[in-house]
Amino acid sequence: MVARKCGSAACECAHGVVKHRAMILCKKVAGRSAATYVPKDLWEQVRDWNREHKRLKKVLKEMSEINEQIIRRHVQDKRHETAARRSLRLLPSA
Ligand SMILES: [Zn+2]
């Protein structure tokens, strides 16, 4: 949300009293920020999309952490398996 002047000379905001709020959607494109002005009748919709975007980002982060744990556990299991095989070979054969 940003404060904005409406451009009308008759409006109070022309005298420095900033009283209008505007919604701007910001994103980075190739290192430069790009903004999209959001019309007021889409504010609620855009807020919902933004909430959903944040939720999905959180889900993806959780998935990545779980995948990392699977890799770590896999490596550990392999190590334990190899160690167990080695110790079995060390047993004297009957
Ligand atoms: Zn105004």
Side-chain angles (χ1 to χ4, degrees):
M1 299 303 298
V2 293
R4 259 198 165 187
K5 289 182 181 180
C6 65
S8 162
C11 184
E12 278 181 66
C13 73
H15 309 293
V17 188
V18 180
K19 51 181 289 190
H20 306 289
R21 293 202 308 154
M23 185 188 277
I24 286 174
L25 198 68
C26 298
K27 66 172 177 177
K28 289 255 177 193
V29 181
R32 297 183 65 180
S33 52
T36 304
Y37 174 80
V38 181
K40 206 165 191 168
D41 60 341
L42 283 178
W43 283 10
E44 266 320 296
Q45 176 70 76
V46 171
R47 281 198 183 101
D48 283 349
W49 287 337
N50 200 33
R51 266 191 290 270
E52 189 64 1
H53 178 84
K54 279 181 185 153
R55 194 186 66 80
L56 287 171
K57 254 174 92 170
K58 202 176 150 224
V59 169
L60 285 173
K61 193 172 170 251
E62 283 169 9
M63 275 176 65
S64 290
E65 281 164 6
I66 290 167
N67 291 346
E68 214 179 297
Q69 276 176 23
I70 290 171
I71 294 168
R72 278 207 208 98
R73 190 161 295 175
H74 179 83
V75 171
Q76 262 177 14
D77 285 353
K78 282 238 165 180
R79 259 186 223 137
H80 289 155
E81 214 181 278
T82 309
R85 258 199 220 112
R86 269 196 204 120
S87 64
L88 275 178
R89 259 183 250 136
L90 289 174
L91 288 174
S93 45

